[in-house]
């Protein structure tokens, strides 16, 4: 019989019918189980409520919110919602979600979208970084952080916005619940219930990064406390907070750097520094990863590419169970420019994680080569990683997968907690990861241990039905179908989801419910192009497979790790799940019920341990070796060859649950260690020194690159004190570096011909070494690594700064180089936005160019100011588009400079006159000319060389105006501006300066309003022909309003009397006088330090005038210059260390082998010899330490006597001079066990000891605590104890007023326009008429004798009604007052006549003090007196008194009438002539003639001074750079 299939007509008919019927059956499936909905525009990510098919999304373009309650099968618009742009789900409650809108009205649901309640945010919008904080337990407790209208705040609700939210904290940057995560548990019910954390300025502080404090409250900030960080200190500079399981993390930024510190807490009040060993954390350079209850994972950017560099990579750290000590678990992790890291922990499976590793890190960092990536996996929570293993057919090899850095879908990349052990990814076999388009779909069914080929080409994928259905869709090419697999990816079926006449689509988001337990998946698809493009959302339900529910025989026990077919251990335990067998044809059908793991503890093995913090794995990988010296038990290691029993260095991996056994006991037992592992002890006297000879060389320049000090007291394993040094000698020029403050030096061999060092004043890790060629070498990690680029030209030879830096953009540079033509150098400015890789020309014939943007200045970040030379003239030009266009701000300038918030421009008044005009701006847009007091206004004369800008630290400009500029007879007047730098008043006359423009004026650091200056006492004789200047020193305690002599010590350090003191001569004949700025070896040297509050040192003498410096002695003050003591006889250089707890003195330029040091703030000094041999001596030319004066190390710079080219550096280490670190806790000062006390500066002329209108308290070490060192930076300022009542000492003379010999401010010229302040502040309602006095800027006095408010206020133009509402009086009350006053006129008149018949009337006394000479503290404001014997007074006094009594009421009526007139007829006074500019900008100068420096430009408050002249710069040297 023939059984072959014959093609009969009947068979053909059956075949045709099958072809027709099969598609019809497929269409029926599509119609029932595949739903699609069209949308008009792009959708936000889908947000599923946990354990629900309810999903939300919005169309931001149209502001529409959509909701589906059946996993996307059907959609509805959320009613009444307008301008929606984002969805925020509560992470702790699956019923709560918020729809954020672009206005101030938003919507909340508390029942998965059934109902929506609107709430408002008070006219402000939610902060984009952290808009909401949801309480971990109470769904009704929500915090919202908002900002807008130049304000910010945080609000809260305890009823889920059923009522309007209440203000939580004004001016807060961010607030959050301490218990934001369910797993947070402090152990205190009140803390868990109510504690709130905020980053905000203190109530009295201003908004600004360095003023942001970490605060907490348990009663919604009715009261607040500042969090204690480290060893009980408080601090500022906090930028963000985040919750991570049971921990709360906060990040804090250092000053003058983008480097960060991280802190962790488990209760929100006590915080500990997260220690990462030598790894530095950069702003925008770290990512908090998925963490557990026993460890925090943080990926920290490594290398110098910058956080937004495409070459960035990271170092993955894991913490101990306390969240404090972090150890590296994987280096060179791959990051993208936005901080997304290729790292994923498997949900529901312990200890397993995948990460992409950069295998060529050196090539990436040094040569900018593309990154080569490999995918590694760990099964022991990061202790060991190994490459993934994949197989396709017979080909096996390493498998590499694309991760989070190239995220193309939402949700997790590889896994889902509802499908344990199942993973999918896109990748390739090979040594490194290929481009996404070249990769395929891969699958693992055993938790990542093995991978097999899934499908050709890149796909998006999802897990459905707890992993029993794997679903994928093509990602890079248009398609009309999806694929699915019912056997864990071994076999795939296609499912067409579009109709035959529809276009193919490109897949968008592919997702499902959060735990993958549903049979439904959701897909966005874009079909068509251009105007015909359509966006679809497909809902695909795999119920159409009609599978039976899995039975017991269809399930298997899957073990998270198997070794040789047997269950293996992960993190000390076996972990198993019950899941569907791969070949079982069934559905799990357990919607919203995830598989639960089963655990069984394993005996401990070596794999369950890792090196503890402070230890590193040995080369044999069998021991943990200490990273630094250990401390031996008491009585051990008397001999270096001895041994001692110490810790093994191992710890059980956090979270590991292995059972303790013999292996555990052996690994954790103490081990015998050699005494060589110990920290080396200092010399017997506690101080160590290290001499480094530099034979045949001299020092050219050095710079400190100081690490940030986060003021937390943490014992950070980072003793990096980097110095860069340039030398010059027989072998030519060379560059060197040291990371231990000069104990060991390393030659930078690749740097040829170094010329100068340019540190970045805004980022202390960056420094650029400029060479004599175009080659520039730079470091971005404090000298650890150097890279190079080619500049567009060689450095200029005009003394202009070669490199300028941007305050906020670390990679932006301005280069001013030399373009040669006809043998001349023509300076040309270029800019780079990529740290030297992309130069574009800015300006030809450039002078100083500078970035102008700064924090708080509302200008374009691109704004640049340049001084452009045109022939013999120079103009100031600005541009905010890199000089594609520019505009002239001033013609014919001398130069311009910046200092703090001010931009100062000196212009030539005319071609005929040599005098200069000064113009100032704060906003870089409006410039106003300086207005001088008439008595000091510069008069034009040939050779007039102008001004020296001295200081602007107190929001006023101190300026020196030259009066005499004859050689060796230079002096002038110090004037002081108002807060906008325009109106100047006289501060001090006859102030000394030298021919370079340096002035004997200096602020005392850290104490408000105190400054020292030297005056020419014999100025009249100096104005003659041959007299030599006689100098005297003055001091002010109220910011230049009043000056006095320095009080001399009564005895010297030998106990001998100073003759004039013993003779009790007056101050003019017997005072202390100090040598100032004009005689400094370096302008970077200072009398004082901002970290050594109250300490002042100087060289001088006691007598009637300042003598020769070589005859002077060294003096010290411990109270800010009030009283003085002799430190040492002779002239000594000085430096402060450890924030003032160490003072080091060494003789200037004399052969010596010893120094003197003090550990008690200068009370006593001890000699120390720093040479090995007693007859060995050196000439010391400089003494230096880190610019903050916080180090325990110093450097002596010297040479052998008579040998110019035989230099020497000597490191001095004082750490061994102390037994311990001082105990400091904010708020616990003055306690017996505290090493600190509060010190309140005193005022010499006020019993209340008020300075600047208040009494301020500072932390200072007790004089008995000389056995301890300060350590990390201490915030010296404690608090303002009280604001004082105003006295005459709180005021200075107003513009065009000067003090007479009686100390009274007398008018010397035209008054300023008092309404000017109304014009400058449009919202101001009233002003006070000019009294001749103005409050000293920054003074906070309240009440008392307010000399600036002597007269009644008047309304600002346009505010008459508001003024009347505030001050107005009703008509009936006016009439009543008039009647009462007239009725009492006779009585008042008779009383006045009798009371003052024989005296003076009207004298007002405003202060007490000793009026001596032109500088006085006795202030009186007399009014005209009258003689009662005069007929003009005696007879009409009663009548006048009667009239006066009536007039008492008249002002009320007159003022009302005046308001009416002013409001209708505005003032005809003209506005001042202001120049407008459309951008920002200024610049400072470079190094000058100094061969090298003892303090770099990072020193706070160490301002360079200089001068403006026709032939020189405005400042002559650095200004803003040093400030």
């Amino acid at each position: 019989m023939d059984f072959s299939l014959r093609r009969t007509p009947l068979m053909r008919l059956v075949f045709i019918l099958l072809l027709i019927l099969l598609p019809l059956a497929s269409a029926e499936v599509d119609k029932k189980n595949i739903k699609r909905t069209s949308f008009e525009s792009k959708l936000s990510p889908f947000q599923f409520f946990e354990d629900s098919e309810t999903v939300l999304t919005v169309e931001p373009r149209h502001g529409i919110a959509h909701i589906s309650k059946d996993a996307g099968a059907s959609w509805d618009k959320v009613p009444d919602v307008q301008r929606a742009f984002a969805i925020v789900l509560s992470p702790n409650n699956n019923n709560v979600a918020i729809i954020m809108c672009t206005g101030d009205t938003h919507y909340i649901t508390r029942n998965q979208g059934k109902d929506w309640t609107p709430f408002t945010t008070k006219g402000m919008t939610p902060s984009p970084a952290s808009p909401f904080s949801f309480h971990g337990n109470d769904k009704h407790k929500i915090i919202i952080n908002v900002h807008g209208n130049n304000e910010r705040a945080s609000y809260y609700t305890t009823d889920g916005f059923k009522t309007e939210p209440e203000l939580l904290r004004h001016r807060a940057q961010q607030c959050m619940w301490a218990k934001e995560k369910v797993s947070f548990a402090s152990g205190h019910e009140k803390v868990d219930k109510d504690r709130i954390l905020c980053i905000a300025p203190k109530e009295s502080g201003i908004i600004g990064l360095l003023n942001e404090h970490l605060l907490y409250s348990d009663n919604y900030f009715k009261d607040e406390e500042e969090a204690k960080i480290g060893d009980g200190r408080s601090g500022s500079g906090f930028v963000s907070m985040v919750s991570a399981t049971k921990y709360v993390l906060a990040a804090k930024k250092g000053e003058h750097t983008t480097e960060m510190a991280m802190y962790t807490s488990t209760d929100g009040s006590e915080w500990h520094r997260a220690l990462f060993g030598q790894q530095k954390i950069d702003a925008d350079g770290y990512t908090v990863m998925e963490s557990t209850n026993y460890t925090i994972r943080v990926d920290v950017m490594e290398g110098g590419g910058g956080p937004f560099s495409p070459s960035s990579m990271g170092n993955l750290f894991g913490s101990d169970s306390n969240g404090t000590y972090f150890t590296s678990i994987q280096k060179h992790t791959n990051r993208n420019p936005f901080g997304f890291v290729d790292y994923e922990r498997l949900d529901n499976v312990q200890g397993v994680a995948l990460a992409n590793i950069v295998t060529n890190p050196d090539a990436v960092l040094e040569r900018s080569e593309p990154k080569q990536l490999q995918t590694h996996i760990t099964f022991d929570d990061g202790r060991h990683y190994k490459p993934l293993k994949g197989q396709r057919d017979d080909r096996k090899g390493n498998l590499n997968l694309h991760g989070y850095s190239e995220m193309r879908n939402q949700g997790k990349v590889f896994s889902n907690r509802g499908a344990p052990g199942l993973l999918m990814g896109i990748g390739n076999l090979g040594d490194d990861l290929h481009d996404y388009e070249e990769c395929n779909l891969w699958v693992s069914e055993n938790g990542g241990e093995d991978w097999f080929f899934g499908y050709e080409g890149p796909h998006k994928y999802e897990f459905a039905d707890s992993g029993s259905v794997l679903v994928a869709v093509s990602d890079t090419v248009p398609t009309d179908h999806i694929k699915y697999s019912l056997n864990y990816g071994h076999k795939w079926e296609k499912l067409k989801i579009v109709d035959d006449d529809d276009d193919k689509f490109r897949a968008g988001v592919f997702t499902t419910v959060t735990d993958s337990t549903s049979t439904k998946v959701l897909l966005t698809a874009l079909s068509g192009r251009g105007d015909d493009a359509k966006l679809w959302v497909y809902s695909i339900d795999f119920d159409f497979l009609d599978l039976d529910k899995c039975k017991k025989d269809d399930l298997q026990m899957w073990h998270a790790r198997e070794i040789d077919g047997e269950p293996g251990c992960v993190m000390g335990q076996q972990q198993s799940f019950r899941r569907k067998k791969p070949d079982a044809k069934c559905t799990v059908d357990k919607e919203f019920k995830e598989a639960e793991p089963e655990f069984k503890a394993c005996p401990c093995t070596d794999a369950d341990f890792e090196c503890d913090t402070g230890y590193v794995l040995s080369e044999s990988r069998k021991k943990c070796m200490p990273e630094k010296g250990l401390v031996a038990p008491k009585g051990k290691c008397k001999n270096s060859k001895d041994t001692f029993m110490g810790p093994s260095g191992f710890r059980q991996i956090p979270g590991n649950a292995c059972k303790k056994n013999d292996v555990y006991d052996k690994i954790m037992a103490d081990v015998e260690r050699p005494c060589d592992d110990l920290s080396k002890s200092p010399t017997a006297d506690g101080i160590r020194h290290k001499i480094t000879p530099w034979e045949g060389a001299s020092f050219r320049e050095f710079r400190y690159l100081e690490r940030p000090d986060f003021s937390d007291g943490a014992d950070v394993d980072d003793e990096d004190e980097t110095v860069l040094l340039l030398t010059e000698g027989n072998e030519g020029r060379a560059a060197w570096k040291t990371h231990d403050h000069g104990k060991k030096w390393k030659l930078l061999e690749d740097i040829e011909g170094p010329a100068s060092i340019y540190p970045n004043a805004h980022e202390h890790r960056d420094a650029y070494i400029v060479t004599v060629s175009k080659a520039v070498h730079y470091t971005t990690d404090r000298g650890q690594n150097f890279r190079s680029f080619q500049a567009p030209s060689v450095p200029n030879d005009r003394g202009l700064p070669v490199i300028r830096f941007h305050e906020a953009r670390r990679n932006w540079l301005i280069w001013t180089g030399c373009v040669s033509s006809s043998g001349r150098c023509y300076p040309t400015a270029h800019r780079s936005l990529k740290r030297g890789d992309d130069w574009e020309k800015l300006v030809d014939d450039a002078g100083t160019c500078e970035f102008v943007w700064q924090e708080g200045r509302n200008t374009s970040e691109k704004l640049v100011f340049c001084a452009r030379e045109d022939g013999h003239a120079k103009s100031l030009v600005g541009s905010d588009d890199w000089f594609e266009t520019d505009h002239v701000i001033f013609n014919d300038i001398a130069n311009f400079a910046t200092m703090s918030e001010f931009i100062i421009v000196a212009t030539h008044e005319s071609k005929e006159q040599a005098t200069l005009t000064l113009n100032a701006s704060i906003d870089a847009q409006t410039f106003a000319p300086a207005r001088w007091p008439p008595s000091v206004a510069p008069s034009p004369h040939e050779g007039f060389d102008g001004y020296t800008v001295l200081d602007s630290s107190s929001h006023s400009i101190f300026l020196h105006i030259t009066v005499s500029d004859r050689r060796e007879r230079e002096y002038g007047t110090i004037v002081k501006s108002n807060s906008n730098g325009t109106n100047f008043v006289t501060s001090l006359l006859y102030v000394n300066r030298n021919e370079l423009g340096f002035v004997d004026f200096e602020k005392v650091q850290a104490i408000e309003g105190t400054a020292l200056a030297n005056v020419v006492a014999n100025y009249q004789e100096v104005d003659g022909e041959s007299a030599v200047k006689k100098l005297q020193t003055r001091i002010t305690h109220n910011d230049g309003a009043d000056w006095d002599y320095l009080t001399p010590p009564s005895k010297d350090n030998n106990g001998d009397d100073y003759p004039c003191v013993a003779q009790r001569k007056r101050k003019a004949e017997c005072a202390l006088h100090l040598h100032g700025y004009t005689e400094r070896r370096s302008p970077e040297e200072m009398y004082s330090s901002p970290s050594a509050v109250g300490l002042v040192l100087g060289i001088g003498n006691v007598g009637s005038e300042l003598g020769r410096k070589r005859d002077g002695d060294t003096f010290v003050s411990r109270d800010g210059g009030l009283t003085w003591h002799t430190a040492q006889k002779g002239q000594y250089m000085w430096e402060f260390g450890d924030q003032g707890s160490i003072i080091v003195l060494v003789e200037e330029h004399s052969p010596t082998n010893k120094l003197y040091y003090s550990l008690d703030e200068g009370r006593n000094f001890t000699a120390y010899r720093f040479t090995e041999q007693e007859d060995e001596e050196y000439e010391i030319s400089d003494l230096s330490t880190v610019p903050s004066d916080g180090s325990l190390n110093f450097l002596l710079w010297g040479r052998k006597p008579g040998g110019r080219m035989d230099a020497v550096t000597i490191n001095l280490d004082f750490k061994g001079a102390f037994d311990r670190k001082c105990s400091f806790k904010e708020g616990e000062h003055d306690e017996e066990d505290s090493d600190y006390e509060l010190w309140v500066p005193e005022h010499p002329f006020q019993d209340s000891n008020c300075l600047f209108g208040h009494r301020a308290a500072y932390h200072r070490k007790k004089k008995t605590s000389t056995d301890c060192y300060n350590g990390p930076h201490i915030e010296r300022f404690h608090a303002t104890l009280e604001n004082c009542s105003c006295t005459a000492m709180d005021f200075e003379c107003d513009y065009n007023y000067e003090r007479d010999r009686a100390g009274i401010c007398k008018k010397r010229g035209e008054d300023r326009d008092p309404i000017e302040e109304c014009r400058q502040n449009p919202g101001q309602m009233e002003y006070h008429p000019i009294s001749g006095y103005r409050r000293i800027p920054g003074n906070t006095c309240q009440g008392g004798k307010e000399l600036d408010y002597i007269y009644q206020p008047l309304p600002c133009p346009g505010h008459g009604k508001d003024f009347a509402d505030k001050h107005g009086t009703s008509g009936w009350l006016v009439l009543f007052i008039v009647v009462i006053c007239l009725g009492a006129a006779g009585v008042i008149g008779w009383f006045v006549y009798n009371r003052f018949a024989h005296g003076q009337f009207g004298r007002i006394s405003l202060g007490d003090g000793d009026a001596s000479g032109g500088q006085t503290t006795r202030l009186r404001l007399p009014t005209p007196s009258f003689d009662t014997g005069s007929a003009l007074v005696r007879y009409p006094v009663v009548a006048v008194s009667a009239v006066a009594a009536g007039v008492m009421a008249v002002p009320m009526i007159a003022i009302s009438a005046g308001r009416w007139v002013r409001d209708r007829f505005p003032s005809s006074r003209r506005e001042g002539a202001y120049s407008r500019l459309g951008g920002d900008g200024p610049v400072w100068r470079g190094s000058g003639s100094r061969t090298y420096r003892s303090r770099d430009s990072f020193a706070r408050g160490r301002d360079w001074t200089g001068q403006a002249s026709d032939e020189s710069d405005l400042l002559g040297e650095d200004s803003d750079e040093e400030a």
Side-chain angles (χ1 to χ4, degrees), residues 1226-1285:
E1226 186 76 40
E1228 297 184 9
H1229 43 75
D1230 293 326
E1231 300 291 337
E1232 285 189 10
D1233 58 347
S1234 173
D1235 291 304
Y1236 296 88
E1237 60 188 0
L1238 290 182
W1239 174 68
V1240 180
E1242 299 179 358
H1243 194 291
F1245 308 121
Q1246 290 186 268
D1247 294 336
S1248 59
N1249 291 331
C1250 290
L1251 287 172
F1252 260 43
H1254 52 258
R1255 293 178 64 245
Y1258 298 84
H1259 298 117
R1260 281 179 68 165
K1261 201 167 76 168
K1262 293 178 179 177
K1263 62 182 180 181
T1264 56
S1265 297
T1266 56
D1267 62 331
C1268 68
Y1269 64 95
N1270 288 312
H1273 175 72
I1274 296 170
E1275 182 59 46
R1276 292 294 185 171
F1277 177 74
H1278 168 68
T1280 298
L1281 303 181
E1282 63 174 336
N1283 285 321
C1284 307
S1285 297

Side-chain angles (χ1 to χ4, degrees), residues 24 155 169 196 210 237 254 508 702 754 802 804 840 1310 1411 1501 1503:
L24 290 176
Y155 291 82
R169 181 57 160 78
I196 296 174
L210 296 179
F702 66 84
V802 177
R804 287 300 194 197
E840 297 288 342
E1310 292 185 6
D1503 304 316

Side-chain angles (χ1 to χ4, degrees), residues 363-521:
V364 171
L365 292 177
E366 296 174 7
R367 298 185 294 276
S368 300
E369 293 184 7
K371 289 186 284 189
Q372 296 177 2
L373 305 181
Q374 284 186 0
T375 304
H376 291 197
I377 190 169
T378 176
F379 294 97
D380 55 6
D381 218 27
R383 186 172 185 232
H384 301 96
Y385 276 87
K386 67 178 184 179
L388 283 187
K389 297 299 180 182
Q391 180 173 357
R392 180 177 184 179
D393 299 328
D394 295 332
R395 184 186 173 195
K396 297 181 180 180
N398 292 342
L399 175 66
N400 307 300
L401 302 174
H402 288 270
Y404 277 97
S405 64
E406 297 180 85
M407 194 75 171
R408 302 175 74 96
N409 203 4
Q410 70 177 63
K412 300 203 71 167
V413 175
F414 305 116
S415 62
N416 188 288
R417 68 178 188 270
L422 297 176
L423 293 86
M424 288 190 281
I426 306 301
N428 61 274
L429 294 177
D431 293 331
D432 62 320
L433 182 62
H434 296 177
D435 290 340
Y436 185 80
E437 290 74 13
E438 301 174 11
C439 295
N440 303 312
L441 176 64
W442 294 78
V443 182
S444 174
E445 58 182 334
N446 60 357
E449 179 73 27
D450 302 290
W451 293 73
F452 58 87
F453 175 79
Y455 215 97
E456 190 76 29
H459 287 69
K460 291 176 178 173
Y461 44 84
E462 258 302 348
F463 305 89
D465 191 34
S466 301
S468 66
V469 182
L470 305 187
V471 194
V473 61
S474 180
D475 191 19
T476 55
V477 296
T479 184
D480 60 1
H481 64 274
I482 64 173
K483 297 107 177 176
Y484 66 92
S485 173
L486 302 180
N487 62 354
Y488 296 158
H490 292 280
K491 182 180 179 181
W492 295 84
E493 305 288 343
K494 292 184 179 180
L495 176 64
K496 187 176 180 180
I497 64 173
V498 301
D499 296 333
D500 291 337
D501 56 350
D502 284 343
D503 292 332
K504 291 184 178 181
F505 61 84
R506 288 183 177 272
V509 174
F510 196 29
T511 188
T512 184
V513 298
T514 55
D515 58 6
S516 291
T517 56
S518 173
T519 58
K520 296 176 182 178
V521 292

Side-chain angles (χ1 to χ4, degrees), residues 808-870:
R809 300 292 185 179
R810 186 178 178 186
N811 294 342
W812 290 14
L813 307 174
I814 293 177
W815 174 274
T816 305
C818 182
V819 176
S820 297
S821 177
S822 302
R824 288 191 59 193
C825 170
Y826 293 91
T828 302
H830 292 74
R831 67 98 177 124
S832 172
L833 306 182
K834 297 180 180 179
R835 196 181 278 132
D837 289 340
D838 61 329
W839 293 106
E840 297 288 342
K841 184 185 290 186
L842 292 179
V843 177
D844 287 316
D845 298 318
T848 301
C849 287
E850 186 165 350
F851 293 110
V852 179
W853 183 92
Q854 65 177 219
E855 186 178 4
R857 184 177 287 163
N858 187 24
T859 57
S860 167
E861 286 190 336
K862 299 179 181 179
L863 184 61
V864 174
F865 279 7
C866 280
R868 184 167 59 194
E869 298 181 3
D870 183 11

Side-chain angles (χ1 to χ4, degrees), residues 176-227:
M176 61 178 284
W177 299 102
K179 190 176 178 63
E180 196 174 68
K181 298 288 187 184
V182 176
S183 51
F184 178 91
S186 68
H188 302 281
E189 181 180 356
K190 179 67 174 175
V191 171
D192 292 350
K193 181 181 178 183
D194 293 326
R195 178 153 295 176
I196 296 174
L197 312 174
C198 285
I199 294 176
K202 292 183 178 180
E203 286 296 349
S204 58
I206 61 173
I207 291 178
L209 176 61
L210 296 179
N211 293 316
E212 304 290 354
H213 293 258
L214 183 57
L215 311 171
Y216 69 93
S217 174
D218 296 334
N219 60 0
Y220 302 100
F221 279 84
K222 295 178 177 63
D223 303 295
E224 66 183 40
E225 297 286 339
E226 185 165 6

Side-chain angles (χ1 to χ4, degrees), residues 823-1102:
R824 288 191 59 193
C825 170
Y826 293 91
T828 302
H830 292 74
R831 67 98 177 124
S832 172
L833 306 182
K834 297 180 180 179
R835 196 181 278 132
D837 289 340
D838 61 329
W839 293 106
E840 297 288 342
K841 184 185 290 186
L842 292 179
V843 177
D844 287 316
D845 298 318
T848 301
C849 287
E850 186 165 350
F851 293 110
V852 179
W853 183 92
Q854 65 177 219
E855 186 178 4
R857 184 177 287 163
N858 187 24
T859 57
S860 167
E861 286 190 336
K862 299 179 181 179
L863 184 61
V864 174
F865 279 7
C866 280
R868 184 167 59 194
E869 298 181 3
D870 183 11
H872 296 291
K874 189 188 295 184
S875 59
L876 180 64
V877 293
S879 174
D880 58 6
D881 58 5
W882 308 127
F883 284 86
E884 292 291 332
T885 61
D886 62 52
H887 52 279
V888 177
I889 304 165
F890 287 101
N891 287 304
D892 199 11
I893 70 168
N895 215 328
F896 77 99
T898 62
M899 183 172 277
S900 298
E901 69 265 44
F902 298 101
I903 303 171
I904 307 165
V905 185
T907 61
H908 295 290
E909 195 167 282
S910 68
K911 293 183 178 180
E912 293 75 22
Q913 294 180 332
T915 190
L916 297 175
T917 298
L918 221 62
N919 301 270
S921 176
I922 294 176
D923 61 6
Q925 301 178 57
T926 302
F927 283 81
R931 292 183 284 190
W932 313 111
S935 61
V936 297
S939 58
H941 62 274
E942 187 65 31
F944 173 72
D945 54 0
Y947 319 100
T948 302
V949 182
L950 301 173
D951 182 85
S952 61
S953 59
S954 56
H955 305 291
S956 297
I957 300 172
F958 277 87
L959 191 74
H960 183 275
I961 300 177
T962 298
V963 174
S964 171
D965 55 9
R966 290 190 303 154
R967 185 177 177 83
E968 297 184 356
R969 289 168 178 78
E970 301 90 352
Y971 70 86
T973 301
I974 291 179
V975 293
K976 179 186 175 187
S977 79
N978 59 350
S979 59
N980 66 7
T982 55
N983 292 332
F984 285 82
V985 299
T986 303
S987 176
L988 184 62
L989 302 173
Y990 320 122
V991 180
N992 183 52
R993 56 151 281 193
N994 64 13
E995 60 181 316
L996 298 177
F998 291 109
V999 178
D1000 282 345
F1001 171 89
E1002 184 179 319
K1003 288 287 191 77
V1004 174
Q1005 304 296 308
I1007 299 182
E1008 297 171 291
T1010 303
L1012 296 167
N1014 283 346
V1015 299
V1016 179
N1018 62 332
Y1019 66 92
Q1020 292 173 321
E1021 298 173 13
V1022 167
D1023 287 341
E1025 291 300 320
S1026 60
V1028 176
K1029 290 188 287 188
K1030 295 181 179 180
L1031 304 183
Q1032 295 179 338
T1033 301
R1034 301 283 194 271
I1035 188 169
T1036 178
H1037 298 278
N1038 58 358
D1039 212 36
D1042 300 282
W1043 296 82
D1044 195 17
Y1045 293 93
L1046 288 182
T1047 302
S1050 58
K1051 298 178 182 294
D1052 61 20
N1053 60 324
N1054 296 323
D1056 297 328
D1057 291 334
Y1058 284 104
C1060 70
V1061 178
Q1063 296 167 16
R1064 297 186 177 182
K1065 292 185 177 181
R1066 60 192 183 97
K1067 285 185 176 180
E1069 297 175 328
C1070 186
L1072 175 63
H1073 306 286
L1074 302 177
H1075 294 271
Y1077 235 86
T1078 59
E1079 299 179 81
R1080 296 270 169 84
R1081 294 174 301 106
S1082 167
E1084 294 157 322
E1085 297 174 0
M1086 307 290 288
Y1087 287 130
S1088 58
S1089 167
S1091 66
V1093 62
L1095 294 180
V1096 190
L1097 273 89
I1099 297 173
N1101 58 273
V1102 175

Side-chain angles (χ1 to χ4, degrees), residues 1465-1513:
F1465 303 98
S1467 172
S1468 61
R1469 291 179 184 266
R1470 292 182 297 172
E1471 298 283 347
Y1474 285 34
S1475 299
R1476 296 291 300 177
L1477 61 102
D1480 346 322
V1483 182
W1484 21 203
R1485 276 203 60 186
S1487 54
S1489 61
R1490 176 75 172 131
T1491 56
Y1492 62 95
R1493 300 177 175 183
S1494 62
R1495 298 181 190 274
D1496 68 351
S1497 59
F1498 303 153
R1500 291 181 53 197
R1502 305 204 171 169
D1503 304 316
W1504 283 61
T1505 61
Q1507 67 183 122
S1509 69
D1510 294 345
E1511 299 176 353
S1512 65
D1513 288 347

